[in-house]
Amino acid sequence: MSDRTMARQVLLFIWFLSLSSALGQVSYSIPEEMAKGSLVGNIAQDLGLDLKRLKSGKARIYTGDSAEYIELNKERGVLLIKERIDREALCGQTTPCALHFQIILENPMQLYRVTVEVTDINDNAPIFSKSEMRFEINELSSSGARFLLERAIDHDVGQNGLQSYSLEPTDNFVLKYQNLPDGNKAVEMVLQTPLDREKHDHISLILTAFDGGDPRMSGTMKIHVSVLDANDNAPVCSQSVYKTSIAENSPKGTVLTTVSASDADQGSNSRITFSISSTADKAADIFEIDSELGVVKLTGGIDYEMSKYYQIDVQARDDGGHTDSCKIIVDVIDINDNNPSINIISKSNQIPEDAKSGTVLAILNIQDVDSNESGKVDCHLNINLPFIIQSSSDGFYSLVTDGDLDRERESEYNISVTCADEGVPSLSSSVTLSLQISDVNDNAPVFEQSSYQASVQENNTPGLSIFTVRARDADFNQNARVSYILEDSSVNGVPVSSLVSVTADSGVIHAVRSFDYEQIKEFQFRVKAQDGGSPPLSSNASVKILIQDQNDNAPQVLYPVQSGASVVAEIVPRSADVGYLVTKVVAVDVDSGQNAWLSYKLHKATDRALFEVGAQNGEIRTVRQVTDKDAVKQRLTVVVEDNGQPSRSATVNVNVAVADSFPEVLSEFTDFTHDKEYNDNLTFYLVLALAVVSFLFIVSIIAILSVKCYRWRRERMFYKSGANLPVIPYYPPLYADVGGTGTLQHVYNYEVCRTTDSRKSDVKYGRACSESIISLDTSGTQTLTHAQRGKLNFDDCGDQVRKYL
């Protein structure tokens, strides 16, 4: 291509570049044959879009089934030439020639229509399908005889298309034009000057076709004319124009029409042959004519969508070289032979369940290339779906939501889009779109029960599994992952977390420590179930734990009080009648229920026939009349037992004195035996203490005697030495001479006290025992007067022994 042509392209581009933007539509105009990578326009600026929006929306070009000549540069936001555009290959003779495509953006889905008009440049010269034509013309042909010439073809359009012809030389023939219905011109060669075979039996002409481009381009064809002898009548077609129609997809051999012509000559000069001239729409390749009969038949395929009509140029010629021409206009009848075409421009494979009504799911381009009713399309979806399909202009449809979505009710949809035309019979196409509904955390966990109650026995092992709470979440994946949390609260001022714990994953409730029914009988707390969504949703349930009692406490005797220091005795007069209330054993059991039901029974007694114990109330009564033969000292052992399984018990010793006077009681109880285990222990400790003190005393005496002896020997040694040295007495520190013979610095007083029971004798220091104390028992932990329920205490202090060392 010359520099001048290139410069013209640039000028055309600058001149024809235009932009119109309205309602999401942009138009550009560019010349054909622009170099790859050339700028078409700044689409981002013209649509008012940010470059970030082009990237985030994954902007792309949709051209349907057409080739992509334009590409989108998202970095710069411009449209560029992707492939060289040949307007003639793209549109043929159609004007204007334009590329229609859409720019699709997602998140949210948007569609912009772009039209790029491709303007023609003069890049094609007129051409003839034949390099030459031959005519045989009778020399008697009269002036004005017409001879149809083959038309030149120029693939350019408009001013750059075919504009004129010239014929040289012009001695015998001139050119005439005839306007055709399709807007083209038929060119004829008209005899202007009669021929003379004797002068010229052969004439050579040059037919030149010119376009209107700049620079002007042309094509030529040679015409050879052979001058024949006289045949003075030319064929005449019966009609100059024939009109017929044929349905598309008709089979080969279908007869369209019959052309007829007549010739006034006789003999061989009247024999007429028919032929089809070459045309731009390639009719000669689709139709054929019987050269003798003039019957026109279909020899190729006809498609209404490719061409809606054809023009057939027929030439009638006799043997003398005379010709006439006529035209056949063939209208193609459209039939419904094309299913609607469904093209998915953009679609979403997944949508959240909280998507608003009207959210665009997919953009479809639906076309039916048939015409009239056969090209009208109606689309619908399979029933009972929360979606609708909406039609926009130019065959674009949007699939949008038409209601609330709930993944828990339906997690996936297979949406069938069916499009049918209105032809007879109707043709349809369908496509199925799969749509996943993604989960949104819109469901809180739900407990199986709003409140729970469980029980656990006291004295349980820490960590014991009590029971399990469960909650379910209808959501999916992370949104359905339930964690269990113990809500903060307190039980009797103690945090509930110190009593129980909840496993976060399983909801198992464990005891943190061992429970004591006597301290806490029941407690209540709340457990929260929380999902893993963002933000998390939760619900809670109340839990009540009941502590079951175990028989873990033995009965406790409140009365009579057991004392190890003295003997407590109940006095029963000898005049007591049957049923006399001696005393009452009072006991309690801190357990509950049947574990706290107490029963009393007499286990041991000095005289079992004299006393009885009430099984339910613990009252000790006489069962017969007291006599003089009954011993004064009576010892009863009462067993208090609960009703637990296994049962627990306690024993109490009750001392009873059967007497009418205090001296009698005193004389009898001085020899009363004590609890063996307690007395043995006390005796052991007293003997041990006495042995240690005695040992220390002996060691001290020996040490003092040793020192005295050592000093005496030294004095003797100094005396016998005869030295006139003064004798200086030496006294160890802290030593004092008491009465001239003592060696200890202190005076120690030892006080020995003896009780009526020699096993309870004791040694005391530093206290004078000047008064006697009467004690009934050496345990000495409780002393009561006679007025205090007849309980007697006696102490007897022995003689005081004081020794000075």
Side-chain angles (χ1 to χ4, degrees), residues 8-19 27-42 69-71 79-87 90-91 96-101 114-121:
R8 178 173 175 78
Q9 289 182 4
V10 174
L11 290 174
L12 284 172
F13 172 74
I14 297 174
W15 177 260
F16 288 107
L17 184 64
S18 63
L19 171 68
S27 298
Y28 298 96
S29 180
I30 61 172
E32 65 173 329
E33 303 293 345
M34 290 181 68
K36 190 182 295 186
S38 299
L39 177 67
V40 175
N42 192 325
Y69 293 99
I70 307 296
E71 66 179 353
L79 296 177
L80 304 175
I81 298 295
K82 183 178 181 181
E83 297 291 341
R84 185 183 67 85
I85 302 176
D86 185 357
R87 195 207 67 82
L90 182 65
C91 301
C97 179
L99 295 172
H100 299 280
F101 56 89
V114 180
T115 300
V116 178
E117 181 182 359
V118 182
T119 59
D120 185 46
I121 63 173

Side-chain angles (χ1 to χ4, degrees), residues 516-569:
D516 188 353
Y517 176 83
E518 287 70 42
Q519 293 183 1
I520 180 171
K521 294 178 174 55
E522 66 179 43
F523 61 94
Q524 213 166 4
F525 57 92
R526 300 187 72 83
V527 175
K528 179 170 70 174
Q530 179 174 290
D531 60 27
S534 180
L537 301 178
S538 63
S539 62
N540 52 42
S542 63
V543 180
K544 185 176 183 180
I545 303 296
L546 302 177
I547 311 301
Q548 293 181 343
D549 184 39
Q550 281 188 329
N551 192 26
D552 58 340
N553 291 282
Q556 297 178 1
V557 178
L558 302 181
Y559 184 84
V561 178
Q562 298 298 290
S563 173
S566 62
V567 175
V568 179

Side-chain angles (χ1 to χ4, degrees), residues 123-236:
D123 56 344
N124 292 282
I127 58 173
F128 291 92
S129 61
K130 297 179 180 180
S131 61
E132 61 181 27
M133 291 186 70
R134 293 184 179 273
F135 292 93
E136 292 179 348
I137 303 175
N138 193 284
E139 63 178 336
L140 296 180
S141 297
S142 59
S143 299
R146 297 180 301 166
F147 303 92
L148 182 64
L149 301 177
E150 181 180 352
R151 289 183 294 164
I153 298 174
D154 193 332
H155 295 294
D156 293 325
V157 295
Q159 188 65 28
N160 296 325
L162 182 63
Q163 298 295 323
S164 62
Y165 295 89
S166 68
L167 183 66
E168 293 181 356
T170 58
D171 296 338
N172 298 97
F173 298 94
V174 295
L175 295 177
K176 284 192 176 180
Y177 303 103
Q178 184 178 354
N179 293 325
L180 299 177
D182 61 358
N184 294 319
K185 293 180 180 180
V187 59
E188 296 177 327
M189 183 175 65
V190 180
L191 181 62
Q192 185 176 21
T193 303
L195 301 175
D196 188 352
R197 183 180 179 280
E198 286 71 29
K199 291 183 179 180
H200 302 286
D201 61 350
H202 185 274
I203 300 174
S204 295
L205 304 172
I206 299 296
L207 179 63
T208 305
F210 297 96
D211 62 20
D214 184 14
R216 194 178 190 187
M217 304 180 75
S218 62
T220 61
M221 180 180 65
K222 294 180 180 180
I223 301 175
H224 299 281
V225 178
S226 297
V227 181
L228 304 177
D229 281 337
N231 182 1
D232 54 354
N233 291 290
V236 178

Side-chain angles (χ1 to χ4, degrees), residues 329-507:
I329 304 300
V330 181
D331 291 325
V332 181
I333 300 174
D334 184 33
I335 64 173
N336 191 24
D337 61 340
N338 291 282
N339 294 66
S341 174
I342 303 176
N343 296 312
I344 302 174
I345 298 176
S346 181
K347 75 181 184 74
S348 297
N349 295 321
Q350 191 177 74
I351 185 174
E353 61 177 323
D354 62 348
K356 296 181 180 179
S357 180
T359 300
V360 178
L361 306 177
I363 298 178
L364 309 177
N365 177 250
I366 303 172
Q367 300 289 341
D368 193 323
V369 294
D370 292 324
S371 63
N372 299 327
E373 299 301 319
S374 299
K376 294 181 180 179
V377 178
D378 179 47
C379 297
H380 63 276
L381 308 178
N382 43 330
I383 61 174
N384 298 327
L385 292 180
F387 310 102
I388 58 173
I389 187 167
Q390 297 176 340
S391 174
S392 59
S393 59
D394 300 332
F396 286 93
Y397 291 78
S398 298
L399 181 64
V400 300
T401 58
D402 186 40
D404 296 330
L405 303 176
D406 188 354
R407 191 207 64 82
E408 290 70 41
R409 186 176 65 245
E410 195 72 39
S411 62
E412 181 180 4
Y413 291 94
N414 290 319
I415 308 169
S416 295
V417 181
T418 303
C419 298
D421 59 27
E422 297 182 7
V424 179
S426 177
L427 300 178
S428 64
S429 299
S430 64
V431 65
T432 300
L433 304 177
S434 295
L435 180 66
Q436 299 286 338
I437 307 300
S438 61
D439 187 45
V440 173
N441 192 26
D442 57 349
N443 291 282
V446 178
F447 280 96
E448 295 176 351
Q449 300 173 222
S450 60
S451 62
Y452 295 84
Q453 181 171 307
S455 61
V456 59
Q457 287 191 337
E458 65 172 331
N459 303 319
N460 58 285
T461 303
L464 174 69
S465 174
I466 301 176
F467 78 110
T468 303
V469 294
R470 285 187 176 89
R472 302 186 183 277
D473 196 312
D475 291 322
F476 185 64
N477 281 345
Q478 184 69 15
N479 295 331
R481 186 179 61 82
V482 178
S483 299
Y484 300 92
I485 303 171
L486 182 66
E487 291 190 349
D488 293 334
S489 62
S490 61
V491 178
N492 298 333
V494 177
V496 72
S497 59
S498 65
L499 300 177
V500 292
S501 65
V502 179
T503 303
D505 295 332
S506 61

